[in-house]
Amino acid sequence: MVAEVEEPCSLPMLSVDMENKENGSVGVKNSVENGRPPDPADWAVMDVVNYFRTVGFEEQARAFQEQEIDGKSLLLMTRNDVLTGLQLKLGPALKIYEYHVKPLQTKHLKNSSSQRCQIEVVGLKNKINM
């Protein structure tokens, strides 16, 4: 007997592909190749700094270092935090939030929800087989 556990785990498909635009809005497809853990929640401050340097925000990356923004902090940032809290120029700050912070948050949320669903399914299968 197989139990289906689709309803609580089904999530709408979210696209986190970043567009190719000028001034750093090109996404880094495989962060493992760049020396960072794949999950931004595991990034140290220097991982965050290096991420923004890699995507073309050398000057703005220093603000993340000065404010000691690690991966967990990055994932908690709001649009207002990026636009005002880091004291960046408005243009780069908007691009950083829209093309990088927000997609990283979306990707992390999607991945953590998917992992949680897998754990729930395994747990239910174990209960059924007992």
Side-chain angles (χ1 to χ4, degrees):
M1 185 160 135
V2 178
E4 290 188 32
V5 186
E6 197 168 320
E7 191 63 32
C9 295
S10 63
L11 298 170
M13 290 303 290
L14 301 171
S15 174
V16 293
D17 292 337
M18 296 178 217
E19 299 177 31
N20 287 329
K21 303 252 181 191
E22 290 183 17
N23 194 11
S25 60
V26 175
V28 178
K29 294 282 185 195
N30 188 351
S31 59
V32 176
E33 292 175 3
N34 295 305
R36 288 182 298 278
D39 185 355
D42 298 328
W43 291 0
V45 172
M46 286 312 297
D47 293 323
V48 173
V49 170
N50 290 331
Y51 171 83
F52 286 107
R53 285 181 177 153
T54 301
V55 296
F57 291 103
E58 179 75 31
E59 183 179 326
Q60 293 79 10
R62 280 179 263 163
F64 288 89
Q65 186 171 9
E66 289 168 6
Q67 295 298 321
E68 299 178 8
I69 305 293
D70 63 6
K72 288 182 176 127
S73 299
L74 183 69
L75 293 173
L76 292 171
M77 292 185 84
T78 64
R79 184 175 187 270
N80 191 52
D81 292 334
V82 176
L83 296 184
T84 61
L86 296 175
Q87 299 176 345
L88 302 174
K89 290 183 180 178
L90 183 58
L94 287 166
K95 291 174 186 172
I96 285 170
Y97 182 75
E98 287 298 321
Y99 296 127
H100 298 284
V101 175
K102 198 161 96 173
L104 287 169
Q105 291 170 336
T106 302
K107 183 178 180 182
H108 174 74
L109 179 63
K110 180 183 172 203
N111 288 343
S112 63
S113 295
S114 175
Q115 289 172 350
R116 208 170 36 249
C117 289
Q118 290 172 357
I119 291 169
E120 289 174 11
V121 169
V122 169
L124 284 173
K125 284 182 180 179
N126 288 339
K127 286 181 181 179
I128 291 171
N129 290 332
M130 292 182 143

